[in-house]
Amino acid sequence: MKILSPRVHGYIDYAVAALFLLAPSLFGFSGLPETLCYILGAVHVGMTLLTAYPLGAAKIIPFPVHGALEAAVAVFLVAAPWLFNFDEAAAARNFFLVSGVAVALVWLVTDYRSAYTTTTAGVRPEHRSYS
């Protein structure tokens, strides 16, 4: 069931990026979990700005590619506490697990093939002339 439009997904993307950037301060992370949060937040902002959807600025990354990257990030987030050996730090571990599940859920319900995100020479579908 694909209930999230590209526009709504864009709002969620900016919120997720902000959450990753704020998480170390909000939840008291330090060390590697803190660094990973800052990297993930910055990369997510960059990817969001570069995605070809209503809230993207440069519209370089196709929205389905954005979706595939988010699916990979969801798996990475769930595995990160064990990959990077911070599974004993409960707050960081739980944040990464919950974030991974949340990103996976957003991925599952987003319409990545929406015609609204398709562009030809930078013209949105509703403004194209079909002869």
Side-chain angles (χ1 to χ4, degrees):
M1 187 159 81
K2 306 293 184 182
I3 58 175
L4 287 183
S5 70
R7 179 173 300 281
V8 172
H9 185 100
Y11 291 123
I12 293 169
D13 278 341
Y14 284 109
V16 166
L19 180 61
F20 274 107
L21 293 170
L22 294 171
S25 296
L26 292 173
F27 304 113
F29 303 160
S30 61
L32 189 55
E34 174 185 32
T35 302
L36 286 173
C37 281
Y38 291 140
I39 291 169
L40 287 163
V43 167
H44 207 80
V45 167
M47 186 173 73
T48 300
L49 290 170
L50 295 175
T51 296
Y53 66 163
L55 297 181
K59 304 195 186 314
I60 295 169
I61 301 170
F63 194 40
V65 172
H66 175 107
L69 292 169
E70 283 187 338
V73 167
V75 172
F76 170 80
L77 289 169
V78 170
W82 292 273
L83 286 174
F84 297 102
N85 228 8
F86 61 88
D87 55 302
E88 305 260 336
R93 180 196 62 230
N94 294 343
F95 174 79
F96 276 77
L97 289 174
V98 169
S99 296
V101 170
V103 169
L105 290 174
V106 169
W107 177 80
L108 281 171
V109 299
T110 295
D111 182 7
Y112 288 102
R113 303 226 182 268
S114 173
Y116 184 69
T117 62
T118 307
T119 60
T120 301
V123 179
R124 291 190 354 211
E126 64 270 20
H127 295 122
R128 282 195 210 127
S129 171
Y130 295 98
S131 313

